[in-house]
DNA sequence: TTAGGTATGTTACTTTTGTTACACAAAAAG
DNA sequence: CTTTTTGTGTAACAAAAGTAACATACCTAA
């Protein structure tokens, strides 16, 4: 664990903090598709992502979903920060995009380190900033882009996160993430294929040029 | 100034912190419609809103606007926090919704107080939380609601913020805030009037029941 | 009082997105 | 090797939102 921690966070945290993390953190592995946080959960520990990717979803009263953004190595979830500090329930759902691992930090430590370590404080604020910017990007996408553009962005973003230009998804799964219907996604994917931007296969979409 | 500060923030900050704020803060009044922050601005001080309301807007590359949320008394702008800490440019525009006043805190103090005062730390995190939740709400609105519902929400939100069920706005101004066209807004307003939810006048919209 | 600017109302039409229904092909299960 | 399930393609239609054009009403300033 020491090595992985060093590898993912060594360049941001000072030695003393790394040692403390090592002492109290719980190492947790997860599998693709695993539900990590459900809406309404109380969160008692804060995750530091070591490897793998996690997708963060929002849901409305009718159970309709919308993908907000992805978390990657070195990320933590600002919603978790929010919930830890404010002791409120999670307003989002987190699902593993692929296999991965993370460290769980108890809430008390999180608060304690804020005064004790400048690098931790910076990390926490930096995380908030990144998350706010991701949210702004999500808003831009919704407000200013058409569905076909949003779809292409979805595909390329996903390709970046999983590090592969081949995306193993059904049209239905994409429709859920984007909060639209399967027919619409099929239609737009077909038109992207005609434009030469992607190639369609069963259960697989290939991005021609990233 | 001491009284206004006491009135707006007395119940959250401890005495010592209030004294420090009083010492370093610059009192600034603003008029309705005044541009307080422009996209691309570097922000060197953090505002604490005393009274009045401020609207926060997002803009895309084409200059199209979208209202994100309103700030009220006791609020601060998380974007400012982001920019102060990260020393990056503002990604949003802030315009005074009506006359008001705020205190400007130098960035250095903001950081210093984080370790010194627990109430300040709580306030800063609480601000982040509120802002993240406002952003989530904005996303919900965009993703899950139709334009007519969004419009009605816009009107009622605005009425709450300005504390008046009469909204002095042209259809064109609303169209800018909601990133759509004047014709569409006129159409939907007319249908809200027929439903008996609002009454239309020149330069003024009256909300029948809040 | 009139001319010009501004705000609103309305029609007709287009584009985008959502919905229903069904055909067909690939994969999985028996 | 059949049957069933799952994933994709497509047509036809409906609803929502965007656009262009113009009429009319109100307000203000000459």
């Amino acid at each position: 664990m020491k090595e992985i921690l060093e590898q993912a966070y060594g360049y941001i945290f000072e030695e003393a903090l790394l040692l403390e993390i090592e002492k109290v953190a719980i190492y947790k592995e997860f599998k693709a598709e695993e539900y990590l946080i459900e809406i309404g959960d109380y969160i008692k520990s804060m995750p530091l992502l070591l490897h793998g990717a996690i997708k963060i979803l929002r849901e409305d009263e009718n159970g309709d979903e919308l993908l907000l953004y992805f978390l990657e190595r070195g990320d933590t979830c600002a919603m978790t920060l929010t919930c830890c500090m404010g002791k409120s329930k999670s307003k989002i759902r987190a699902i593993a995009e692929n296999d991965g691992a993370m460290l769980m930090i108890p809430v008390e430590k999180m608060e304690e380190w804020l005064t004790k370590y400048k690098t931790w404080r910076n990390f926490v604020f930096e995380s908030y900033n990144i998350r706010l910017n991701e949210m702004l990007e999500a808003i831009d996408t919704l407000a200013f882009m058409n569905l076909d553009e949003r779809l292409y962005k979805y595909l390329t973003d996903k390709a970046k996160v999983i590090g592969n230009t081949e995306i193993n998804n059904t049209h239905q799964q994409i429709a859920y993430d984007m909060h639209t219907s399967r027919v619409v996604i099929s239609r737009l994917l077909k038109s992207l294929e005609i434009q030469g931007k992607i190639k369609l296969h069963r259960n697989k979409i290939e991005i021609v040029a990233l």
Side-chain angles (χ1 to χ4, degrees), chain A residues 78 81-82 85 123-133:
Chain A
L81 296 174
T82 298
M85 303 298 295
F123 172 71
V124 169
F125 277 104
E126 183 64 17
S127 299
Y128 264 118
N129 292 350
I130 292 170
R131 238 30 76 194
L132 271 175
N133 284 333

Side-chain angles (χ1 to χ4, degrees), chain A residues 11 16 19 25 65 72-75 106 145-146 164 183 185 193:
Chain A
Y11 62 104
L19 283 172
E65 284 194 344
E72 297 174 83
R73 190 178 84 165
D75 283 338
M145 289 167 83
N146 281 352
N164 193 332
V183 181
I185 293 295
E193 187 177 44

Side-chain angles (χ1 to χ4, degrees), chain A residues 16 22-23 37 82 91 110 112 115 120 143 153 164 191 195 208:
Chain A
E22 211 187 322
K23 221 183 304 175
I37 299 175
T82 298
K91 298 197 162 72
M110 195 215 130
E112 185 191 317
T115 44
W120 179 255
K153 177 169 157 47
N164 193 332
S191 102
Q195 290 169 52
V208 170

Side-chain angles (χ1 to χ4, degrees), chain A residues 95-137:
Chain A
I95 303 177
E97 184 67 28
N98 43 33
D99 294 359
M102 58 189 180
L103 294 176
M104 306 298 289
I105 313 284
V107 189
E108 319 82 65
K109 287 292 162 189
M110 195 215 130
E111 283 223 58
E112 185 191 317
W113 294 343
L114 275 177
T115 44
K116 213 163 154 188
Y117 300 107
K118 190 174 162 57
T119 55
W120 179 255
R121 205 161 56 241
N122 286 344
F123 172 71
V124 169
F125 277 104
E126 183 64 17
S127 299
Y128 264 118
N129 292 350
I130 292 170
R131 238 30 76 194
L132 271 175
N133 284 333
E134 299 260 22
M135 301 272 275
L136 274 183
E137 200 182 319

Side-chain angles (χ1 to χ4, degrees), chain A residues 15-189:
Chain A
E15 196 54 38
L17 177 53
L18 287 170
L19 283 172
E20 280 221 56
I21 292 175
E22 211 187 322
K23 221 183 304 175
V24 301
I26 295 159
Y27 180 80
K28 184 174 180 257
E29 294 193 336
F30 54 82
K31 294 249 163 271
E33 311 292 305
E34 194 175 319
Y35 278 54
L36 301 172
I37 299 175
E38 188 47 87
I39 294 163
D41 279 2
Y42 281 97
I43 295 154
K44 55 269 147 272
S45 55
M46 173 179 158
L48 298 180
L49 198 50
L50 296 173
H51 60 265
I54 295 174
K55 69 175 176 184
I56 305 296
L57 299 163
R58 177 76 168 154
E59 192 184 75
D60 78 349
E61 325 81 55
N62 310 320
D64 295 328
E65 284 194 344
L66 180 78
L67 179 123
L68 293 180
Y69 50 78
F70 292 100
L71 298 181
E72 297 174 83
R73 190 178 84 165
D75 283 338
T76 188
C77 181
M79 288 304 144
T80 314
L81 296 174
T82 298
C83 296
C84 290
M85 303 298 295
K87 300 173 188 3
S88 61
K89 294 182 198 166
S90 174
K91 298 197 162 72
I92 52 89
R93 173 176 296 143
I95 303 177
E97 184 67 28
N98 43 33
D99 294 359
M102 58 189 180
L103 294 176
M104 306 298 289
I105 313 284
V107 189
E108 319 82 65
K109 287 292 162 189
M110 195 215 130
E111 283 223 58
E112 185 191 317
W113 294 343
L114 275 177
T115 44
K116 213 163 154 188
Y117 300 107
K118 190 174 162 57
T119 55
W120 179 255
R121 205 161 56 241
N122 286 344
F123 172 71
V124 169
F125 277 104
E126 183 64 17
S127 299
Y128 264 118
N129 292 350
I130 292 170
R131 238 30 76 194
L132 271 175
N133 284 333
E134 299 260 22
M135 301 272 275
L136 274 183
E137 200 182 319
I139 287 173
D140 286 351
T141 306
L142 286 167
F144 303 127
M145 289 167 83
N146 281 352
L147 252 186
D148 53 347
E149 300 173 283
R150 279 181 59 203
L151 176 57
Y152 190 64
K153 177 169 157 47
Y154 172 92
L155 294 173
T156 50
D157 281 357
K158 187 145 185 164
K160 270 178 229 158
V161 163
I162 61 174
N164 193 332
T165 55
E166 291 191 354
I167 293 163
N168 294 306
N169 257 346
T170 67
H171 300 182
Q172 183 62 69
Q173 289 169 323
I174 299 174
Y176 283 139
D177 280 355
M178 294 185 57
H179 184 240
T180 180
S181 74
R182 198 273 309 166
V183 181
V184 172
I185 293 295
S186 291
R187 179 157 66 211
L188 295 177
L189 281 173

